[in-house]
Amino acid sequence: MSPPPLPLLLLLLPPLLNVEPAEATLIRIPLRRVHPGRRTLNLLRGWGKPAKLPRLGAPSPGDKPGFVPLSKFLDAQYFGEIGLGTPPQNFTVTFDTGSSNLWVPSKRCHLSSVPCWFHHRFNPNASSSFQPNGTKFAIQYGTGRVDGILSEDKLTIGGIKGASVIFGEALWESTLVFTVSRPDGILGLGFPILAVEGVRPPLDVLVEQGLLDKPVFSFYLNRDPEVADGGELVLGGSDPAHYIPPLTFVPVTVPAYWQIHMERVKVGPELTLCARGCAAILDTGTPVIIGPAEEIRALHKAIGGIPLLAGEYIIRCSEIPKLPAVSLFLGGVWFNLTAQDYVIQFVQGDFRFCLSGFRGLDIPSPPGPMWILGDVFLGAYVAVFDRGDMKSGARVGLARARTRGADLRGGQTAQAQFHG
């Protein structure tokens, strides 16, 4: 669930750096896992956009870190726990790099808002630190719309307490998607320009209030179906135990979404996509990899994808060990995805169903055409999101995730290849 239309501002950022971020205190937020099933194959796709883009604003510098465990739902939703209010009222939220607002369902939600009744709801009367704001907000996602009012209260996240944040109390949520979605709400980790009503994103608030050393965070998304945990969100830096060094840093080209330049994409030895270079967004709120429809059709032809419906493609499970690698050239480095990485497997008893992790979508210009590198990519490669400061621009660091033996279960190895 992440947003499109990008701002007009285009910044030229420093060249590629292959260095590790400086040491800092890390805050860990575990992500929980929900075992996959078939019933919502089509419901959790899509990425959203803010109802309107607020004024351009410069990201805030800062310096102090944290960790949030993540859970996952159908290998499509990764989420962790936060608290709001005093004493904290607990909610599960999707940590979304494609949006910048925090919202949860409200105790005051409309009777007609069915999703509200299937999730935890914030009760302002139960919090001694609640401050009313009352400004109305609306966020339009690709999977539905959320309307409500803004409020202010204390945020608890990964052991950090006492941050005063403005967040949305959702009074109405549309569509079945929000009803079946496991998380209660969304915590956006995009740039301030994406935040509706000019609200300061939670990451900025943590840095400004001295609760986080650096405006840096990283995601380790565990996609191994045999392991219970869903991974970890690390605030303030990254944990080298999650990845195989070195990190390759690529500059952010538009500081709104986490947008970078992708030089090209190879499917096996024959097919080249994004041949002249293209824009790509790293989005934890999108479960799959999205690319222009014509190119994704060519990709599926190369990997033997069988059309299902609504843009879905089936992959023959028995063919997985024989399928070609899909390689993305980012920052002068090839990042390979094997079929084990890009095929989403649903297993229930003796039943096994394999679905392609690629979707075709033509995003109009601006900001398209572009690719969206969602959880299929971010499960294979740990991403370190660094907002930078007044001296250095924003950047994203990438390194192969340590996958607890997943690379040994078959298929090709997928270490990053270093080429010019």
Side-chain angles (χ1 to χ4, degrees):
M1 295 183 194
S2 316
L6 280 103
L8 303 175
L9 183 64
L10 190 68
L11 297 184
L12 296 176
L13 297 175
L16 172 70
L17 296 174
N18 286 309
V19 295
E20 304 279 346
E23 271 189 41
T25 307
L26 301 179
I27 297 164
R28 301 174 183 269
I29 305 172
L31 307 178
R32 300 195 310 272
R33 174 197 300 278
V34 176
H35 289 292
R38 280 191 65 193
R39 68 186 183 282
T40 55
L41 296 185
N42 242 348
L43 292 177
L44 299 175
R45 296 186 343 226
W47 57 310
K49 59 183 178 181
K52 60 180 180 179
L53 283 175
R55 296 183 305 274
L56 292 174
S60 302
D63 30 345
K64 197 175 180 173
F67 279 72
V68 185
L70 303 178
S71 310
K72 70 177 184 179
F73 180 52
L74 298 178
D75 273 320
Q77 286 182 305
Y78 290 82
F79 52 93
E81 189 172 278
I82 64 167
L84 284 169
T86 308
Q89 300 172 43
N90 294 331
F91 299 91
T92 54
V93 294
T94 298
F95 295 99
D96 180 20
T97 58
S99 64
S100 299
N101 287 84
L102 165 61
W103 65 265
V104 296
S106 173
K107 195 80 173 178
R108 299 177 280 183
C109 63
H110 300 312
L111 289 172
S112 60
S113 180
V114 176
C116 182
W117 306 101
F118 287 86
H119 293 91
H120 297 99
R121 293 172 289 155
F122 178 76
N123 183 359
N125 296 326
S127 173
S128 62
S129 52
F130 174 78
Q131 295 291 328
N133 179 296
T135 301
K136 293 181 180 179
F137 80 93
I139 303 176
Q140 179 67 52
Y141 295 98
T143 47
R145 179 182 168 108
V146 175
D147 290 80
I149 56 172
L150 297 178
S151 297
E152 185 173 351
D153 215 328
K154 302 296 184 181
L155 170 67
T156 300
I157 180 170
I160 296 178
K161 300 178 181 179
S164 183
V165 299
I166 294 177
F167 67 99
E169 286 190 65
L171 303 179
W172 184 78
E173 302 170 50
S174 69
T175 81
L176 178 63
V177 172
F178 288 117
T179 303
V180 301
S181 177
R182 189 60 61 93
D184 301 310
I186 293 176
L187 189 152
L189 290 166
F191 289 79
I193 187 65
L194 292 183
V196 299
E197 302 303 330
V199 172
R200 296 300 287 167
L203 181 71
D204 295 70
V205 172
L206 293 175
V207 172
E208 289 165 2
Q209 296 184 10
L211 298 170
L212 195 64
D213 288 336
K214 298 179 178 181
V216 180
F217 59 93
S218 59
F219 277 91
Y220 164 62
L221 303 182
N222 184 3
R223 298 181 71 80
D224 184 349
E226 298 176 11
V227 178
D229 70 285
E232 195 169 54
L233 163 62
V234 181
L235 299 178
S238 63
D239 184 350
H242 289 158
Y243 58 84
I244 301 169
L247 285 166
T248 296
F249 280 92
V250 185
V252 170
T253 54
V254 179
Y257 305 97
W258 289 89
Q259 181 176 327
I260 61 176
H261 177 70
M262 184 159 66
E263 289 139 276
R264 60 187 179 277
V265 177
K266 293 277 289 183
V267 185
E270 304 295 332
L271 179 62
T272 298
L273 308 173
C274 175
R276 298 181 180 177
C278 53
I281 287 173
L282 294 147
D283 183 13
T284 58
T286 296
V288 294
I289 294 175
I290 292 174
E294 185 176 342
E295 294 197 294
I296 295 299
R297 277 193 294 271
L299 182 151
H300 280 126
K301 184 176 181 180
I303 66 173
I306 304 167
L308 182 57
L309 39 87
E312 310 272 9
Y313 280 76
I314 295 173
I315 302 294
R316 292 184 178 90
C317 299
S318 61
E319 294 294 306
I320 289 176
K322 307 172 190 175
L323 296 182
V326 176
S327 303
L328 289 67
F329 198 40
L330 303 165
V333 174
W334 284 106
F335 293 90
N336 294 347
L337 296 173
T338 69
Q340 289 283 356
D341 297 320
Y342 64 72
V343 176
I344 301 171
Q345 301 185 49
F346 301 89
V347 181
Q348 211 158 24
D350 294 332
F351 175 80
R352 190 177 176 213
F353 183 76
C354 295
L355 201 63
S356 168
F358 296 96
R359 302 285 185 278
L361 177 65
D362 291 318
I363 300 168
S365 177
M370 64 169 53
W371 290 64
I372 306 169
L373 308 183
D375 297 339
V376 165
F377 178 78
L378 296 171
Y381 291 92
V382 166
V384 181
F385 299 85
D386 184 352
R387 285 273 294 275
D389 53 32
M390 299 301 290
K391 295 181 180 178
S392 61
R395 58 184 187 166
V396 176
L398 298 169
R400 183 71 191 185
R402 297 188 189 272
T403 52
R404 298 184 182 170
D407 290 338
L408 303 178
R409 289 200 301 271
Q412 304 137 324
T413 59
Q415 301 298 329
Q417 299 175 2
F418 292 78
H419 300 293

PDB file of all heavy atoms in Angstrom, residues 1 32-33 36 50 75-77 107 118-119 124 127 143 145 181 215 228 256 284 306 354 379 414:
ATOM      1  N   MET A   1       0.829  -1.194   0.000  1.00  0.00           N
ATOM      2  CA  MET A   1       0.000   0.000   0.000  1.00  0.00           C
ATOM      3  C   MET A   1       0.858   1.236   0.000  1.00  0.00           C
ATOM      4  O   MET A   1       1.055   1.843   1.014  1.00  0.00           O
ATOM      5  CB  MET A   1      -0.852   0.038   1.257  1.00  0.00           C
ATOM      6  CG  MET A   1      -1.857  -1.046   1.364  1.00  0.00           C
ATOM      7  SD  MET A   1      -2.789  -0.790   2.827  1.00  0.00           S
ATOM      8  CE  MET A   1      -3.578  -2.346   2.959  1.00  0.00           C
ATOM      9  N   ARG A  32       6.273 -10.020  12.527  1.00  0.00           N
ATOM     10  CA  ARG A  32       5.696 -11.348  12.712  1.00  0.00           C
ATOM     11  C   ARG A  32       5.272 -11.935  11.375  1.00  0.00           C
ATOM     12  O   ARG A  32       5.026 -11.228  10.409  1.00  0.00           O
ATOM     13  CB  ARG A  32       4.492 -11.278  13.660  1.00  0.00           C
ATOM     14  CG  ARG A  32       4.860 -10.738  15.039  1.00  0.00           C
ATOM     15  CD  ARG A  32       3.764 -11.028  16.042  1.00  0.00           C
ATOM     16  NE  ARG A  32       2.457 -10.629  15.544  1.00  0.00           N
ATOM     17  CZ  ARG A  32       1.933  -9.420  15.694  1.00  0.00           C
ATOM     18  NH1 ARG A  32       2.631  -8.471  16.305  1.00  0.00           N
ATOM     19  NH2 ARG A  32       0.737  -9.131  15.240  1.00  0.00           N
ATOM     20  N   ARG A  33       5.160 -13.251  11.339  1.00  0.00           N
ATOM     21  CA  ARG A  33       4.798 -13.964  10.112  1.00  0.00           C
ATOM     22  C   ARG A  33       3.443 -14.647  10.278  1.00  0.00           C
ATOM     23  O   ARG A  33       3.140 -15.216  11.326  1.00  0.00           O
ATOM     24  CB  ARG A  33       5.846 -15.040   9.797  1.00  0.00           C
ATOM     25  CG  ARG A  33       5.487 -15.937   8.628  1.00  0.00           C
ATOM     26  CD  ARG A  33       6.336 -17.198   8.634  1.00  0.00           C
ATOM     27  NE  ARG A  33       7.740 -16.900   8.531  1.00  0.00           N
ATOM     28  CZ  ARG A  33       8.361 -16.654   7.387  1.00  0.00           C
ATOM     29  NH1 ARG A  33       7.694 -16.652   6.260  1.00  0.00           N
ATOM     30  NH2 ARG A  33       9.637 -16.415   7.365  1.00  0.00           N
ATOM     31  N   PRO A  36       1.143 -18.467   4.691  1.00  0.00           N
ATOM     32  CA  PRO A  36       0.355 -18.122   3.512  1.00  0.00           C
ATOM     33  C   PRO A  36      -0.812 -19.055   3.255  1.00  0.00           C
ATOM     34  O   PRO A  36      -0.810 -20.200   3.636  1.00  0.00           O
ATOM     35  CB  PRO A  36       1.363 -18.195   2.361  1.00  0.00           C
ATOM     36  CG  PRO A  36       2.483 -19.018   2.861  1.00  0.00           C
ATOM     37  CD  PRO A  36       2.504 -18.880   4.351  1.00  0.00           C
ATOM     38  N   PRO A  50      -1.150   9.637  -2.012  1.00  0.00           N
ATOM     39  CA  PRO A  50      -1.827  10.590  -1.168  1.00  0.00           C
ATOM     40  C   PRO A  50      -2.919  11.298  -1.947  1.00  0.00           C
ATOM     41  O   PRO A  50      -2.826  11.457  -3.161  1.00  0.00           O
ATOM     42  CB  PRO A  50      -0.726  11.568  -0.763  1.00  0.00           C
ATOM     43  CG  PRO A  50       0.469  11.214  -1.553  1.00  0.00           C
ATOM     44  CD  PRO A  50       0.200   9.969  -2.321  1.00  0.00           C
ATOM     45  N   ASP A  75       3.193 -13.637   2.634  1.00  0.00           N
ATOM     46  CA  ASP A  75       4.416 -13.128   2.009  1.00  0.00           C
ATOM     47  C   ASP A  75       4.131 -11.805   1.320  1.00  0.00           C
ATOM     48  O   ASP A  75       4.798 -11.430   0.369  1.00  0.00           O
ATOM     49  CB  ASP A  75       4.973 -14.119   0.981  1.00  0.00           C
ATOM     50  CG  ASP A  75       5.896 -15.134   1.649  1.00  0.00           C
ATOM     51  OD1 ASP A  75       6.655 -14.738   2.530  1.00  0.00           O
ATOM     52  OD2 ASP A  75       5.842 -16.305   1.277  1.00  0.00           O
ATOM     53  N   ALA A  76       3.091 -11.099   1.771  1.00  0.00           N
ATOM     54  CA  ALA A  76       2.706  -9.873   1.093  1.00  0.00           C
ATOM     55  C   ALA A  76       2.629  -8.708   2.047  1.00  0.00           C
ATOM     56  O   ALA A  76       2.793  -7.578   1.641  1.00  0.00           O
ATOM     57  CB  ALA A  76       1.353 -10.062   0.408  1.00  0.00           C
ATOM     58  N   GLN A  77       2.361  -8.967   3.320  1.00  0.00           N
ATOM     59  CA  GLN A  77       2.299  -7.895   4.303  1.00  0.00           C
ATOM     60  C   GLN A  77       3.253  -8.206   5.448  1.00  0.00           C
ATOM     61  O   GLN A  77       3.189  -9.267   6.055  1.00  0.00           O
ATOM     62  CB  GLN A  77       0.886  -7.750   4.863  1.00  0.00           C
ATOM     63  CG  GLN A  77      -0.099  -7.108   3.915  1.00  0.00           C
ATOM     64  CD  GLN A  77      -1.453  -6.963   4.576  1.00  0.00           C
ATOM     65  OE1 GLN A  77      -2.022  -7.936   5.054  1.00  0.00           O
ATOM     66  NE2 GLN A  77      -1.973  -5.755   4.607  1.00  0.00           N
ATOM     67  N   LYS A 107     -11.842   4.633  17.615  1.00  0.00           N
ATOM     68  CA  LYS A 107     -13.031   4.190  18.362  1.00  0.00           C
ATOM     69  C   LYS A 107     -14.268   4.939  17.878  1.00  0.00           C
ATOM     70  O   LYS A 107     -15.394   4.476  18.027  1.00  0.00           O
ATOM     71  CB  LYS A 107     -12.816   4.464  19.857  1.00  0.00           C
ATOM     72  CG  LYS A 107     -13.764   3.753  20.790  1.00  0.00           C
ATOM     73  CD  LYS A 107     -13.347   2.319  21.007  1.00  0.00           C
ATOM     74  CE  LYS A 107     -14.207   1.660  22.088  1.00  0.00           C
ATOM     75  NZ  LYS A 107     -13.841   0.230  22.264  1.00  0.00           N
ATOM     76  N   PHE A 118     -13.054  -4.848  12.564  1.00  0.00           N
ATOM     77  CA  PHE A 118     -12.229  -6.060  12.559  1.00  0.00           C
ATOM     78  C   PHE A 118     -10.802  -5.784  13.042  1.00  0.00           C
ATOM     79  O   PHE A 118      -9.938  -6.639  12.921  1.00  0.00           O
ATOM     80  CB  PHE A 118     -12.190  -6.662  11.147  1.00  0.00           C
ATOM     81  CG  PHE A 118     -13.472  -7.328  10.750  1.00  0.00           C
ATOM     82  CD1 PHE A 118     -14.510  -6.595  10.188  1.00  0.00           C
ATOM     83  CD2 PHE A 118     -13.659  -8.690  10.958  1.00  0.00           C
ATOM     84  CE1 PHE A 118     -15.695  -7.206   9.818  1.00  0.00           C
ATOM     85  CE2 PHE A 118     -14.844  -9.306  10.590  1.00  0.00           C
ATOM     86  CZ  PHE A 118     -15.871  -8.573  10.023  1.00  0.00           C
ATOM     87  N   HIS A 119     -10.573  -4.581  13.578  1.00  0.00           N
ATOM     88  CA  HIS A 119      -9.228  -4.217  14.009  1.00  0.00           C
ATOM     89  C   HIS A 119      -9.262  -3.473  15.348  1.00  0.00           C
ATOM     90  O   HIS A 119     -10.328  -3.033  15.789  1.00  0.00           O
ATOM     91  CB  HIS A 119      -8.555  -3.330  12.952  1.00  0.00           C
ATOM     92  CG  HIS A 119      -8.268  -4.028  11.672  1.00  0.00           C
ATOM     93  ND1 HIS A 119      -9.159  -4.048  10.614  1.00  0.00           N
ATOM     94  CD2 HIS A 119      -7.197  -4.762  11.271  1.00  0.00           C
ATOM     95  CE1 HIS A 119      -8.647  -4.770   9.622  1.00  0.00           C
ATOM     96  NE2 HIS A 119      -7.458  -5.203   9.999  1.00  0.00           N
ATOM     97  N   PRO A 124      -9.383   7.791  22.392  1.00  0.00           N
ATOM     98  CA  PRO A 124      -8.753   8.987  22.974  1.00  0.00           C
ATOM     99  C   PRO A 124      -9.077   9.173  24.452  1.00  0.00           C
ATOM    100  O   PRO A 124      -8.272   9.726  25.201  1.00  0.00           O
ATOM    101  CB  PRO A 124      -9.306  10.133  22.122  1.00  0.00           C
ATOM    102  CG  PRO A 124     -10.529   9.593  21.470  1.00  0.00           C
ATOM    103  CD  PRO A 124     -10.305   8.129  21.293  1.00  0.00           C
ATOM    104  N   SER A 127      -6.564   7.702  27.039  1.00  0.00           N
ATOM    105  CA  SER A 127      -5.179   8.188  27.051  1.00  0.00           C
ATOM    106  C   SER A 127      -5.090   9.516  27.791  1.00  0.00           C
ATOM    107  O   SER A 127      -5.765  10.485  27.437  1.00  0.00           O
ATOM    108  CB  SER A 127      -4.665   8.370  25.620  1.00  0.00           C
ATOM    109  OG  SER A 127      -3.391   8.989  25.631  1.00  0.00           O
ATOM    110  N   THR A 143      -5.414   0.389  -3.143  1.00  0.00           N
ATOM    111  CA  THR A 143      -6.358  -0.630  -2.674  1.00  0.00           C
ATOM    112  C   THR A 143      -7.534  -0.046  -1.911  1.00  0.00           C
ATOM    113  O   THR A 143      -8.338  -0.791  -1.364  1.00  0.00           O
ATOM    114  CB  THR A 143      -5.619  -1.618  -1.750  1.00  0.00           C
ATOM    115  OG1 THR A 143      -4.844  -0.873  -0.812  1.00  0.00           O
ATOM    116  CG2 THR A 143      -4.694  -2.524  -2.550  1.00  0.00           C
ATOM    117  N   ARG A 145      -9.434   3.779   0.131  1.00  0.00           N
ATOM    118  CA  ARG A 145      -9.300   5.122   0.689  1.00  0.00           C
ATOM    119  C   ARG A 145      -9.524   5.103   2.197  1.00  0.00           C
ATOM    120  O   ARG A 145     -10.321   4.316   2.712  1.00  0.00           O
ATOM    121  CB  ARG A 145     -10.321   6.046   0.014  1.00  0.00           C
ATOM    122  CG  ARG A 145     -10.327   7.490   0.506  1.00  0.00           C
ATOM    123  CD  ARG A 145     -11.422   8.278  -0.200  1.00  0.00           C
ATOM    124  NE  ARG A 145     -11.658   9.573   0.418  1.00  0.00           N
ATOM    125  CZ  ARG A 145     -11.316  10.731  -0.118  1.00  0.00           C
ATOM    126  NH1 ARG A 145     -10.709  10.757  -1.293  1.00  0.00           N
ATOM    127  NH2 ARG A 145     -11.581  11.874   0.507  1.00  0.00           N
ATOM    128  N   SER A 181      -7.129  -7.226   5.654  1.00  0.00           N
ATOM    129  CA  SER A 181      -5.736  -6.897   5.950  1.00  0.00           C
ATOM    130  C   SER A 181      -5.447  -7.157   7.420  1.00  0.00           C
ATOM    131  O   SER A 181      -6.181  -6.704   8.303  1.00  0.00           O
ATOM    132  CB  SER A 181      -5.485  -5.428   5.615  1.00  0.00           C
ATOM    133  OG  SER A 181      -4.178  -5.057   5.958  1.00  0.00           O
ATOM    134  N   PRO A 215      18.498   9.666  10.824  1.00  0.00           N
ATOM    135  CA  PRO A 215      17.323   9.379   9.991  1.00  0.00           C
ATOM    136  C   PRO A 215      17.632   8.236   9.025  1.00  0.00           C
ATOM    137  O   PRO A 215      17.640   8.396   7.812  1.00  0.00           O
ATOM    138  CB  PRO A 215      17.079  10.698   9.268  1.00  0.00           C
ATOM    139  CG  PRO A 215      18.445  11.296   9.143  1.00  0.00           C
ATOM    140  CD  PRO A 215      19.218  10.873  10.362  1.00  0.00           C
ATOM    141  N   ALA A 228       9.602 -19.014  11.544  1.00  0.00           N
ATOM    142  CA  ALA A 228       8.413 -18.372  12.109  1.00  0.00           C
ATOM    143  C   ALA A 228       8.447 -16.847  12.025  1.00  0.00           C
ATOM    144  O   ALA A 228       7.421 -16.221  11.793  1.00  0.00           O
ATOM    145  CB  ALA A 228       8.234 -18.800  13.570  1.00  0.00           C
ATOM    146  N   ALA A 256      11.149  11.763  -2.370  1.00  0.00           N
ATOM    147  CA  ALA A 256       9.729  11.719  -2.028  1.00  0.00           C
ATOM    148  C   ALA A 256       9.423  10.262  -1.694  1.00  0.00           C
ATOM    149  O   ALA A 256       9.338   9.872  -0.541  1.00  0.00           O
ATOM    150  CB  ALA A 256       8.883  12.220  -3.183  1.00  0.00           C
ATOM    151  N   THR A 284       8.335  -0.962   0.512  1.00  0.00           N
ATOM    152  CA  THR A 284       7.971  -2.071   1.396  1.00  0.00           C
ATOM    153  C   THR A 284       6.474  -2.306   1.453  1.00  0.00           C
ATOM    154  O   THR A 284       6.035  -3.339   1.954  1.00  0.00           O
ATOM    155  CB  THR A 284       8.478  -1.816   2.831  1.00  0.00           C
ATOM    156  OG1 THR A 284       7.912  -0.584   3.313  1.00  0.00           O
ATOM    157  CG2 THR A 284       9.998  -1.732   2.857  1.00  0.00           C
ATOM    158  N   ILE A 306       2.164 -18.447 -16.959  1.00  0.00           N
ATOM    159  CA  ILE A 306       0.853 -18.753 -17.545  1.00  0.00           C
ATOM    160  C   ILE A 306      -0.157 -17.742 -17.011  1.00  0.00           C
ATOM    161  O   ILE A 306      -0.365 -17.653 -15.799  1.00  0.00           O
ATOM    162  CB  ILE A 306       0.411 -20.180 -17.168  1.00  0.00           C
ATOM    163  CG1 ILE A 306       1.479 -21.196 -17.607  1.00  0.00           C
ATOM    164  CG2 ILE A 306      -0.945 -20.502 -17.775  1.00  0.00           C
ATOM    165  CD1 ILE A 306       1.278 -22.576 -16.997  1.00  0.00           C
ATOM    166  N   CYS A 354       2.116 -22.001  -7.212  1.00  0.00           N
ATOM    167  CA  CYS A 354       3.220 -21.065  -7.441  1.00  0.00           C
ATOM    168  C   CYS A 354       2.765 -19.904  -8.316  1.00  0.00           C
ATOM    169  O   CYS A 354       2.176 -20.108  -9.383  1.00  0.00           O
ATOM    170  CB  CYS A 354       4.392 -21.801  -8.082  1.00  0.00           C
ATOM    171  SG  CYS A 354       5.119 -23.045  -6.995  1.00  0.00           S
ATOM    172  N   GLY A 379      12.958  -8.886  -0.032  1.00  0.00           N
ATOM    173  CA  GLY A 379      13.168 -10.103   0.743  1.00  0.00           C
ATOM    174  C   GLY A 379      14.506 -10.732   0.430  1.00  0.00           C
ATOM    175  O   GLY A 379      15.141 -11.351   1.282  1.00  0.00           O
ATOM    176  N   ALA A 414      22.557 -16.550  -5.685  1.00  0.00           N
ATOM    177  CA  ALA A 414      22.121 -15.208  -6.079  1.00  0.00           C
ATOM    178  C   ALA A 414      22.906 -14.116  -5.384  1.00  0.00           C
ATOM    179  O   ALA A 414      22.369 -13.128  -4.963  1.00  0.00           O
ATOM    180  CB  ALA A 414      20.636 -15.064  -5.785  1.00  0.00           C
TER     181      ALA A 414
END
